[in-house]
């Protein structure tokens, strides 16, 4: 295709709101343009990449036995009421009302609709297992849309759902989907990890995420370099660290103006590992409106873990400053478990400390040498509520954990009978018994993949597309073609010959300076570049270069066609 006839509005400058490479390069390269916060127009180059990813996803899913369907974007509220999620989904779900005052949502995911479809069309065990998927627009009113396609509000997802009569059939399908996602990422040529993950509001069972590794990723992955263990930090199990040291006498100490753990530790000249911090959240019980979560000073709360603790109100919500002052009569920086009139949950590593520093529940005072058994009245529940940190022991005993950053592109879930049960789905088995089918669901971020690929595959000049998804196979750069008939003729012929061999070709036929064309070619990132210029043609050659290699090969036009077509 001719560059001059396509809409490829490349830019020299990065958009002001772009913080990461993929956002910058996809806009600068003319792949996408912003419409509104978190929503993007796809231009011809962008669509070509998107369609290549979709094609690979389809091929691998079909190979794994999944069937493609297409479900609506606008979904009736009744189905979400049946599953119980209409009230559980927060403001991320975009809700609307039609002219008859009926309520709908714009699909953030499709469990309800597919389960409803299933119960209408599947009646017999003979039709199971059944694995359905579609590639469709999703809308999630993300609190902070950012990073271009990475965290958009409107995006494209492949979502699949499987239905089974028994666990064995389900486990086979789950393993097949795990293998299928691995195959997709391997085909694209990406460095990725499959990790244990938290299920969020989708399901209660086990789940795995697929992460494309990149520094700009929003997720931390904890993994063991010496075993197969890998988990999203949201999910990774924290092992209780030993609390060494003697039991000390307790002392109340004046700590004026120290509002943070770091400030307290510095003031008292102790390590933050010897301090505890106390976070107050809303409780889900009539005995107490609030509940205290206690962590070692150097640890961070894991909100997903804390949200699953009995007695914590869901979704997890921190008490406001005013709430704390009204209920406890103390400011946020001076709270501690000694004498605290609230139920207490201590992280296992905080609970292991023999002596610790904590707020004294009096403004500007802390206790030094506090001890759980001796000084904290009432029951203290011990649980894993913290994020793992680098160097923590891996839960499988294989040694210290390392961290990587990743971009989540896929997430597969074991749903059990959560939706089939709630929506009253049954299938008759061979003996005529009604069985509630077991479900799995499998999400893949098709549009996020475009950004994830660029995050992993770029350099200072632009994108370096992997062959499998590149918008074109070959970029023919014709130098001064509008002034040289020779260049125009050879470039035209290369374009036609390469196309005849089944390759896709972008022919830069614009009346522009060579420097502009080279800069755009680097920016757009097509994997093979052929430069046609008068100087080379005098010797009968053109220049061939891979986008990811510095080497330039001087070949005749015929030889370059043969090289690219894989003909020896
Ligand atoms: P995240 O933790 O990144 O918000 P999620 O757990 O909400 O993701 P799922 O509900 O599992 O995501 O959705 C399946 C896939 O859809 C994700 O793995 C991701 O690739 C993609 N996805 C989710 N949210 C977005 C978004 N806001 N923009 C682009 N892609 C998204
Ligand atoms: Mg999300």
């Amino acid at each position: 295709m001719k560059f001059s006839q396509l809409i490829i509005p490349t830019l020299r400058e990065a958009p002001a709101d772009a913080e990461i490479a993929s956002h910058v390069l996809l806009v600068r390269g003319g792949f996408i343009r912003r419409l509104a916060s978190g929503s993007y127009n796809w231009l011809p180059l962008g669509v070509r990449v998107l369609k290549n990813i979709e094609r690979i996803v389809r091929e691998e899913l079909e190979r794994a036995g999944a069937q493609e369907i297409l479900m609506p974007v606008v979904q009736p509220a009744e189905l979400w009421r049946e599953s119980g999620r209409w009230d559980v989904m927060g403001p991320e779900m975009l809700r609307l009302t039609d002219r008859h005052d009926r309520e709908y949502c714009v699909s953030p995911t499709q469990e309800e609709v597919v389960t409803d479809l299933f119960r209408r069309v599947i009646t017999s065990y003979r039709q199971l297992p059944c694995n359905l998927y579609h590639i469709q627009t999703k809308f999630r009113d993300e609190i902070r849309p950012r990073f271009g396609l990475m965290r958009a509000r409107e995006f494209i997802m492949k979502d699949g759902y499987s239905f089974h009569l028994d666990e064995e059939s389900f486990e086979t399908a789950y393993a097949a989907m795990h293998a299928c996602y691995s195959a997709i990422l391997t085909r694209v040529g990406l460095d990725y990890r499959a990790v244990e993950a938290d299920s969020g509001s989708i399901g209660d069972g086990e789940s795995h995420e697929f992460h494309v590794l990149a520094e700009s990723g929003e997720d931390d992955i904890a993994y063991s370099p010496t075993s197969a263990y890998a988990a999203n930090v949201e999910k990774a199990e924290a092992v209780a660290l030993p609390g060494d040291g003697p039991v000390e006498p307790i002392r109340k100490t004046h700590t004026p103006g120290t509002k943070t753990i770091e400030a307290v530790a510095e003031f008292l000249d102790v390590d933050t590992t010897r301090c505890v911090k106390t976070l107050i959240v809303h409780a889900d019980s009539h005995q107490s409106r609030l509940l205290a979560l206690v962590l070692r000073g150097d640890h961070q709360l894991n909100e997903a873990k804390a949200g699953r603790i009995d007695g914590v109100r869901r979704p997890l919500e921190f008490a406001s400053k005013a709430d704390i002052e009204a209920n406890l009569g103390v400011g946020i920086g001076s709270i501690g478990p000694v004498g605290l009139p609230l139920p207490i949950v201590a992280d296992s590593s905080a609970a292991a400390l023999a002596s610790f520093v904590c707020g004294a529940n009096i403004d500007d005072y802390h206790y030094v040498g506090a001890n759980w058994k001796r000084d904290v009245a009432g029951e203290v529940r011990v649980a894993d509520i913290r994020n793992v940190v680098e160097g923590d022991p891996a839960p499988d005993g294989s040694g210290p954990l390392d961290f990587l950053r990743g971009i989540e592109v896929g997430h597969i879930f074991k749903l059990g009978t959560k939706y089939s049960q709630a929506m009253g789905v049954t299938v008759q088995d061979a003996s005529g018994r009604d069985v509630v089918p077991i479900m799995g669901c499998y999400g893949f971020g098709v549009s996020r993949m475009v950004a994830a690929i660029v995050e992993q595959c770029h350099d200072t000049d632009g994108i370096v597309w992997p062959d499998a998804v590149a918008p074109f196979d070959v970029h023919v750069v014709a130098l001064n073609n509008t002034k040289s008939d020779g260049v125009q003729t050879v470039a035209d012929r290369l374009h036609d010959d390469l196309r005849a061999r089944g390759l896709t070709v972008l022919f830069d036929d614009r009346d522009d300076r060579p420097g502009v064309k080279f800069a755009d070619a680097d920016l757009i990132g097509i994997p093979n570049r052929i430069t046609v210029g008068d100087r080379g043609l005098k010797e009968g050659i053109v220049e061939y270069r891979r986008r990811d290699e510095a080497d330039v090969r001087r070949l005749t036009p015929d030889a370059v066609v043969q090289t690219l077509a894989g003909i020896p």
Side-chain angles (χ1 to χ4, degrees), residues 8 66 97 109 315 432 435 447 507 554:
I8 310 179
T97 308
T109 179
V435 178
S447 54
F507 171 18
R554 293 159 55 83

Side-chain angles (χ1 to χ4, degrees), residues 155-203:
F155 58 97
I156 299 167
M157 199 205 287
K158 168 259 142 183
D159 42 328
Y161 307 86
S162 71
F163 298 83
H164 307 268
L165 275 187
D166 55 48
E167 282 292 340
E168 193 188 337
S169 158
F170 169 70
E171 289 296 339
T172 307
Y174 191 82
M177 284 299 118
H178 195 292
C180 175
Y181 279 26
S182 304
I184 292 167
L185 294 165
T186 303
R187 257 180 85 173
V188 179
L190 297 177
D191 191 9
Y192 72 94
R193 288 281 190 296
V195 308
E196 293 174 18
D198 183 65
S199 290
S201 68
I202 303 268

Side-chain angles (χ1 to χ4, degrees), residues 92 140 142 151 155 408 448:
E92 265 195 25
R140 294 181 185 179
E142 297 275 355
R151 185 161 300 282
F155 58 97
E408 178 198 323
R448 181 181 282 183

Side-chain angles (χ1 to χ4, degrees), residues 74-75 77 86 93-98 101-106:
V74 175
Q75 310 179 352
W86 186 255
M93 187 154 90
L94 183 66
R95 296 158 205 254
L96 31 111
T97 308
D98 74 4
D101 270 346
R102 282 190 286 254
E103 291 178 293
Y104 295 84
C105 69
V106 182

